[in-house]
Amino acid sequence: MNHGFQLIALTAAMGVALCQTPTPRPNADPYANNADAGKLKFPLAAPAGKDSGAITTPLPGSVNTGIVNEAKWKYGPAYNPPASAKIWNPVKLKMMRGEKVTGGTFFASSDPSTYCAFANSGYDFVWTEMQHNARDWENVAKMWQACPHAKAVPGVRVAYTDEREIQHAMDAGALVIVIPTVRTVEEGTAARDWIYFPPLGKRSQGGGQAFSAEFWGNVPGGYRNTINDNVVLIEMIETIGGVAQAREIAAIPGVDAVFAASGDLGNFSGYKQGEPDYERLINAVHDAALAAGKRLCGPFAWRDRPDFTCFQGGSETAAIARGVADELGPLKDTQAKPEVGPYASKP
């Protein structure tokens, strides 16, 4: 009898398990978990063949009243992060603490294995270069996919302030976005808009590997609900116009840091580091960051400059050269010189 009761209990348990609806697995395809057609009911749908008047008249129980108006829309709580949500992006966490953050520049290579070695070498994030590199987003996505949880989180300097460019970066899994040559507060705001989901920004909820379980689909609180609190936005001040509006740019909600661009501020000003006119521009960006309570970024050579806490490191090719030089020591560049052939000593 005991065996019979056990069999009945097991059969019942299996039946319950089979009837339960499984929790959808985080998926990069936004339509992967759509319900089967024909099973949904639409009790609040507009009546067939009639104008419902919805543009001016709310449905019973609506929060928003009057005509539909984006500027006055009261955003719903559906995508609010949980009250207990914690920061899961280590770069964001360091920035919030005021600690020094480093980003290595992945510039020349498009090889996933090289990227992964670089991303695990000790930086806080990898600055994948898209402004001055010809690689495409499919290639970047494959590099990040090779080691999505490397020690350094995936970051990128995009080519320009553009919905397509920034959405590709975010959907591919970027946690740090660097915007170059921000000249006006309007450009800085546009960049912010495409990075953040509503209500802070205008990012569309599409697809991409960022939503997958292999990337951020399983983070506590969910990717859609918590990414606004975890993405890091750095805007670069590189022109005279950008310096003139640096305070307004730094004050844009959602901007985490401003970057005083050491090279291009010289390029656009005609002065070199150390000269008074150049240093004035750098100091103006410094003052803008302090006034807005934001972090201040610059080249790694400025890691001891007052108030700078965010730095761009060298490229992967430079890192290889430094690593080999450190390993070989006095044996570096001691190759033999034949008397003949392409390796012979030059006269």
Side-chain angles (χ1 to χ4, degrees):
M1 291 295 292
N2 289 340
H3 290 296
F5 281 124
Q6 290 175 354
L7 180 60
I8 292 171
L10 178 61
T11 303
M14 291 177 64
V16 171
L18 290 172
C19 291
Q20 289 177 339
T21 302
T23 301
R25 183 173 181 266
N27 196 294
D29 178 358
Y31 307 107
N33 298 319
N34 277 4
D36 291 338
K39 291 186 178 181
L40 292 179
K41 303 298 181 182
F42 308 97
L44 298 180
K50 295 182 179 180
D51 188 322
S52 70
I55 194 68
T56 57
T57 306
L59 293 171
S62 294
V63 172
N64 290 276
T65 59
I67 192 169
V68 173
N69 185 327
E70 184 177 16
K72 297 181 179 180
W73 187 261
K74 297 174 183 176
Y75 194 76
Y79 295 104
N80 290 349
S84 59
K86 295 181 179 180
I87 299 299
W88 48 265
N89 178 358
V91 175
K92 187 82 166 191
L93 194 61
K94 286 188 77 174
M95 279 197 165
M96 292 171 65
R97 293 172 176 171
E99 299 172 2
K100 293 187 176 182
V101 171
T102 59
T105 309
F106 200 72
F107 189 92
S109 176
S110 294
D111 174 59
S113 61
T114 305
Y115 169 83
C116 290
F118 194 62
N120 283 303
S121 64
Y123 294 106
D124 292 304
F125 72 96
V126 173
W127 172 312
T128 305
E129 180 57 39
M130 293 295 281
Q131 183 189 17
H132 295 295
N133 187 282
R135 65 168 68 95
D136 59 31
W137 282 109
E138 183 178 8
N139 180 249
V140 172
K142 288 179 179 178
M143 291 194 304
W144 293 355
Q145 192 176 50
C147 50
H149 297 160
K151 293 177 183 178
V153 307
V156 60
R157 175 162 68 174
V158 297
Y160 41 85
T161 301
D162 174 85
E163 180 178 8
R164 180 181 185 274
E165 180 81 354
I166 293 174
Q167 296 247 248
H168 277 314
M170 293 301 298
D171 289 349
L175 294 185
V176 178
I177 301 285
V178 182
I179 309 295
T181 54
V182 179
R183 297 173 175 84
T184 65
V185 68
E186 289 78 15
E187 286 184 8
T189 301
R192 185 278 311 276
D193 284 349
W194 304 129
I195 289 169
Y196 288 90
F197 283 123
L200 181 57
K202 300 176 181 178
R203 180 185 172 190
S204 169
Q205 185 171 345
Q209 62 192 27
F211 296 82
S212 70
E214 289 72 25
F215 274 75
W216 321 121
N218 286 330
V219 296
Y223 174 78
R224 168 61 181 83
N225 293 56
T226 63
I227 186 59
N228 274 14
D229 292 331
N230 282 274
V231 66
V232 170
L233 170 56
I234 302 171
E235 301 208 346
M236 299 188 73
I237 308 298
E238 308 191 66
T239 68
I240 306 302
V243 172
Q245 295 195 37
R247 286 181 180 254
E248 292 80 6
I249 293 168
I252 296 170
V255 171
D256 294 286
V258 288
F259 191 111
S262 58
D264 258 331
L265 276 174
N267 174 49
F268 284 102
S269 72
Y271 295 96
K272 295 182 179 180
Q273 183 172 334
E275 295 180 336
D277 290 274
Y278 177 96
E279 296 298 331
R280 178 188 180 187
L281 299 175
I282 302 299
N283 289 344
V285 179
H286 164 276
D287 297 345
L290 263 61
K294 305 297 177 67
R295 300 303 170 195
L296 182 59
C297 303
F300 189 66
W302 292 1
R303 62 189 179 276
D304 296 320
R305 188 165 182 149
D307 295 321
F308 280 78
T309 59
C310 164
F311 308 100
Q312 180 191 13
S315 68
E316 77 278 23
T317 53
I320 291 170
R322 287 194 304 271
V324 172
D326 182 65
E327 179 183 35
L328 294 182
L331 294 178
K332 178 179 180 293
D333 291 332
T334 57
Q335 297 90 347
K337 295 295 183 182
E339 293 183 6
V340 296
Y343 292 100
S345 298
K346 299 296 186 292

